[in-house]
Amino acid sequence: MRSMESCFNKGNSSVRGWKNDYDNLKHIRWIRNQLAHEVSYDSDICSFDDYEWLDNFYKRLFSSDDPLGALRKMEMKATVEHAGKRQTDNGTQQAPRVVYPPPQIMQQRPTVNQSSGCLSTFMMMLILSVSIIFSLFILL
């Protein structure tokens, strides 16, 4: 499996917006690592622009308009053009064919009701508070 780092020089010179997408992906990964591994939570760690960019990139990824998809399309086009040129130059000689697996149809992410997390947290806090108050009255 190819990564943006392994194809950086080729992609950066061939695909428009490669460096911008690469930098944004690294930033989003940093945010994810901060949220996953840091004990404290900083509400200013990401902005709405980060969310919008990630959502847009997600859509581009599944329509093969992401940087690696664009690089793959360019390579396929170059391979086809090169094969056509070799065939006309050498008569019957054919270039090796590059075969990629067909793209898989992916389902959209399910929408998450964010209020359900708050409601369950509130209910747990309410039950905990009631049980603490009840136990205090029993001890008195």
Side-chain angles (χ1 to χ4, degrees):
M1 182 166 209
R2 294 168 32 168
S3 69
M4 285 187 76
E5 287 188 2
S6 67
C7 306
F8 187 81
N9 291 333
K10 190 175 192 176
N12 195 27
S13 63
S14 305
V15 178
R16 192 178 73 175
W18 181 281
K19 176 83 167 109
N20 184 42
D21 284 336
Y22 178 78
D23 290 340
N24 279 326
L25 283 170
K26 286 188 88 158
H27 175 69
I28 296 297
R29 184 180 64 188
W30 177 82
I31 290 172
R32 179 243 170 241
N33 288 340
Q34 292 296 312
L35 291 172
H37 300 293
E38 293 296 318
V39 175
S40 62
Y41 173 74
D42 184 11
S43 62
D44 296 335
I45 199 167
C46 66
S47 66
F48 188 71
D49 292 336
D50 293 330
Y51 171 77
E52 284 182 332
W53 181 87
L54 186 60
D55 191 50
N56 180 295
F57 186 81
Y58 178 84
K59 291 173 184 170
R60 289 189 302 144
L61 184 68
F62 286 103
S63 64
S64 295
D65 292 331
D66 62 297
L68 287 175
L71 184 62
R72 180 175 148 197
K73 287 177 185 177
M74 290 176 67
E75 288 174 347
M76 287 176 56
K77 182 179 177 183
T79 302
V80 168
E81 288 174 356
H82 183 68
K85 184 177 178 185
R86 280 179 91 192
Q87 193 171 23
T88 57
D89 290 346
N90 298 334
T92 59
Q93 185 180 8
Q94 292 185 355
R97 231 178 116 186
V98 178
V99 179
Y100 291 100
Q104 297 177 354
I105 298 173
M106 302 299 258
Q107 295 179 351
Q108 289 290 334
R109 291 183 291 183
T111 56
V112 176
N113 185 0
Q114 293 179 352
S115 64
S116 66
C118 294
L119 181 62
S120 62
T121 303
F122 175 75
M123 292 301 292
M124 287 176 32
M125 294 300 287
L126 182 65
I127 291 169
L128 182 63
S129 300
V130 168
S131 64
I132 290 172
I133 291 171
F134 184 70
S135 64
L136 285 175
F137 280 121
I138 290 177
L139 290 175
L140 294 177

